[in-house]
Amino acid sequence: MAKKKKYIDVMDTTFRDGFQSVFGGRVLMEDFLPAVEAAKEAGITHFEFGGGARFQSLFFYLQENAFEMMDKFRETVGPEANLQTLARGINTVMLDTGSREMIDLHAKLFKKHGTTTIRNFDALNDVDNLAYSAECIKNHGLKHEVVVTIMDLPPGCHGAHDAPFYEKVLRRILDSGLPFDSVCFKDASGTSNPNKVYETIKMARKLLPEGTHLRLHTHETAGVSVACYLAALEAGVDGIDMAAHPVSGGTSQPDILTMLHATKGGDYDLGGLELEKILEYEEVLADCLKDYFIPPEATQVSPLIPFSPMPGGALTANTQMMRDSGILHKYPEVIRAMQEVVEKGGYGTSVTPVSQFYWQQAFNNVMFGPWKKIAPGYGRMVLGYFGKTPAEPDPEVVRIAAEQLKLEPTKENPLDIADRDETKSIAYWRKVLEEEGLEATEENIFIAASCDKKGIAFLKGESPLMVRKKGLMEEETKKEGGSMSKATGVYTVVVDGQKFKVEVAEGDADIVVQEVKQETSKPAPAPESEVPAENAPGMTEVTAQVPGNVWKIVKNPGDSVEEGEVIMILEAMKMEIDVPSPKAGTIAKINVTTNQAVTEGQVLALVE
C-alpha cells in the first residue's frame, strides 16, 4: 500500500506579489481576470489577491479602485476560495502608521470586499505593533495569519535574524495572547539560507500548539527559494507560496511547475495540483500579459542581494521609478549602499515599509553623499516612531536624524502618536472629501487616508494611467520621433551602469558595439522659458539635485527667502525632497509648474 503523502496548502501569489514583484503592481484588471478563471479551472483555491503595495498602486497608476477589483476577483473564483491579503500591522496598507480607527476600518472594508484571510506582519518584528490589528481582523470575522519577518543579515553583521532570534519573536507572540489562525515566516528579500529555514521551521513546529497551520513565504531573488522550500517541507511546514509564469522566478516566488517538479516522487502533495492543468493556466496567463513590458531585472537572480537584501516587490517598483526618471544607471550604487544602511538602521527586516526606508536612505547616500540627507521614513524609524528595532540603531545616525528631522527619539507607542494626529482621523478625511465635493463613503475615506493627495486625485478622476505596455511604449516612442521597430542607426545604451555605442541595422547586417568612456553627467539644458544665470547679474540658480516631479511650490516670484528656506518640494522615489534657497534674497523667477517632471541639475528657480 502506497504511503499517503502530506497535503501542502499552496497559495497562488501571482495576482498580488507576482504582479508587484515583476510589474510594480501595474496590471489592469481587465487584462488578468481571464487568467484568474483559468487558475480556478486548474484547481487553485487559495489566492493572494490584494493588499500590500498592490492596494495603492491601483489608485496611483491604474485609474482602478482596489475595492472594486477585489469584488470582481471574488465574483470570478466563487464563495469558497480562500482569498488572502497582506497587511503591515499598524500600517495596514499604508506606508505610515495608521490610527486605531483607520486600522479597524481597514479590517472592516477588506472583509466587506471579499477577503477571507489577512496575513499580518511588522517589519521590525515588534509584537506590540501586531496586537491591535490582530484584534480588529478577528473582530470583523476574518482569519488572521500572524507573521515573523525573516531575512539573512549582510555578511559580517550579527545581532538578529537567526533561529534563536525568531524563537524569541514567536515566544513573544504566544505570550502576548494575540489571536491568530496560522503562522507564516515571511522572507520578502529571499535571502534566508536553507539551513536557517530548516532550523527555524523545526523550532516553530515544536513551539506552536499541535495542529497550528505553519507556512513559509520567500522569493527567488537570491536564487535559493526552491532549496528553502524543500528545507521547510522537511522541517514540517504546512503551506508554501508560489506564482505562475511569466510572473514567477526572478524577483517573485518560484514557479508552481518548478515546485511540482522539485517534489516529484517525494512525500508531499502540493495542493492536489496537476502539471498539465497548471501548464494550461500558465499559457492563459502568458497570453493575458503578452503586451506588458517585463523589466529585465524582474527575471534575474541576483547574487548581490544577500549583501544588500532588497525585496523583489520593492526592487522592481524602485527600478521602474529610476527608469522613469532616467537614472537607472545609479541602481548598482544604490544596492551597494544598502548594506551600511541596513546595519546602521537596527536590522529591521527588509520588507515594506522598512525596505523602502532602506532604499530611500541608500538612494540619498548615493545622490547627496553619505548621511548628508536623512530620508524621513528611515529617520523616524531609527528614532523609534515605528516601534522598537531588533537592534539599537547607530547612535551617530540617530543624532543626525534627530537634528535633520527636528524630532527627539521616542519609546512611545506609535498608535498613541497616530491617534493624536488629526490628519489620521476619519473625521479629518470626511471633511477633506466634503470640501472636494466627493462622497464621504467609508471606502472613499480609507482611499483618501491611505493614498493622500493621490487618492483624492483618483476620486476626482485626475490620476494618471501609467502602464508599461509594449504597444503604448511604441506609440510614445513614435510621438517622440523614434521607433521601437525597424530602428536603424547608432545609439548609446546603458547596461548595468556602463555606456555602449551600438550600431543597429535591419536584416542580417553586422552590428558594432563599442564601450563608451564614462563621462560626468551634465544637467539637462534649461527650457527656453528660463533665464540663464549668466545673463542675469546677481541671480543665483536653484537646481534639482535629483530627478523627480514638482510636488508643491512653496514660494512665488517676489517672495523673500532666508538661506535654507524651502522654495519648493519635489517628489522622487516616494519621497518628498525639499529644495532650499542657497542664499537669503528674493525669488526672481520660478521656472517650473506643479506636477512637472524635472531632471537632475535642471534650474528650478532664480534668487536675487
Side-chain angles (χ1 to χ4, degrees), residues 23-299:
F23 301 115
R26 306 185 197 186
V27 183
L28 293 164
M29 178 168 50
E30 287 182 359
D31 294 332
F32 73 77
L33 280 177
V36 175
E37 181 67 40
K40 175 188 173 185
E41 294 300 316
I44 294 172
T45 59
H46 189 179
F47 297 87
E48 188 180 41
F49 84 128
R54 257 290 281 181
F55 182 81
Q56 288 177 323
S57 65
L58 271 68
F59 301 106
F60 286 5
Y61 308 119
L62 301 183
Q63 298 175 346
E64 290 185 349
N65 190 316
F67 292 122
E68 292 177 5
M69 181 279 293
M70 293 162 68
D71 291 341
K72 289 281 184 67
F73 203 111
R74 171 58 77 185
E75 183 182 326
T76 302
V77 297
E80 301 304 318
N82 182 0
L83 296 188
Q84 188 158 319
T85 61
L86 186 67
R88 311 176 188 117
I90 56 176
N91 294 63
T92 63
V93 291
M94 300 179 274
L95 289 177
D96 197 4
T97 305
S99 63
R100 285 179 172 86
E101 60 183 13
M102 283 298 176
I103 292 170
D104 185 69
L105 184 58
H106 161 260
K108 179 182 180 180
L109 291 175
F110 275 57
K111 169 66 176 178
K112 177 182 176 181
H113 291 281
T115 304
T116 310
T117 304
I118 293 183
R119 175 178 286 176
N120 188 33
F121 73 89
D122 179 66
L124 301 181
N125 278 315
D126 186 339
V127 176
D128 290 341
N129 285 348
L130 295 171
Y132 184 73
S133 54
E135 181 184 322
C136 294
I137 289 166
K138 293 300 293 180
N139 284 347
H140 286 286
L142 292 152
K143 292 183 178 179
H144 178 227
E145 184 163 281
V146 70
V147 175
V148 178
T149 57
I150 68 176
M151 69 177 187
D152 265 18
L153 292 178
C157 298
H158 306 280
H161 291 290
D162 52 19
F165 170 75
Y166 300 136
E167 181 175 351
K168 290 178 184 176
V169 176
L170 188 54
R171 285 187 182 277
R172 286 200 296 271
I173 289 172
L174 294 172
D175 292 344
S176 73
L178 65 82
F180 63 85
D181 299 278
S182 55
V183 175
C184 177
F185 286 85
K186 175 180 172 63
D187 186 348
S189 61
T191 54
S192 294
N193 68 80
N195 181 64
K196 186 181 77 174
V197 166
Y198 178 84
E199 294 298 330
T200 298
I201 297 298
K202 203 76 173 173
M203 169 275 296
R205 189 81 282 167
K206 291 178 181 178
L207 197 58
L208 289 168
E210 187 175 352
T212 302
H213 186 80
L214 182 59
R215 304 189 66 84
L216 177 67
H217 169 96
T218 191
H219 288 243
E220 178 61 6
T221 322
V224 293
S225 66
V226 173
C228 284
Y229 275 158
L230 292 175
L233 290 170
E234 187 179 348
V237 84
D238 302 305
I240 56 177
D241 301 349
M242 296 178 283
H245 179 78
V247 293
S248 57
T251 53
S252 181
Q253 280 69 60
D255 193 89
I256 301 173
L257 290 175
T258 299
M259 282 306 304
L260 287 173
H261 179 68
T263 55
K264 197 182 297 180
D267 299 327
Y268 309 104
D269 172 9
L270 300 190
L273 301 177
E274 300 174 19
L275 282 167
E276 289 300 322
K277 290 183 178 180
I278 296 299
L279 182 59
E280 291 176 12
Y281 155 42
E282 293 200 351
E283 288 173 349
V284 173
L285 179 65
D287 185 63
C288 288
L289 301 176
K290 64 180 182 297
D291 197 32
Y292 281 80
F293 168 69
I294 297 181
E297 63 272 15
T299 65

Side-chain angles (χ1 to χ4, degrees), residues 291-313:
D291 197 32
Y292 281 80
F293 168 69
I294 297 181
E297 63 272 15
T299 65
Q300 298 170 353
V301 165
S302 173
L304 295 179
I305 290 299
F307 294 84
S308 302
M310 192 72 232

Side-chain angles (χ1 to χ4, degrees), residues 136 170 325 384 435 464 504:
C136 294
L170 188 54
S325 300
E435 289 174 349
V504 181

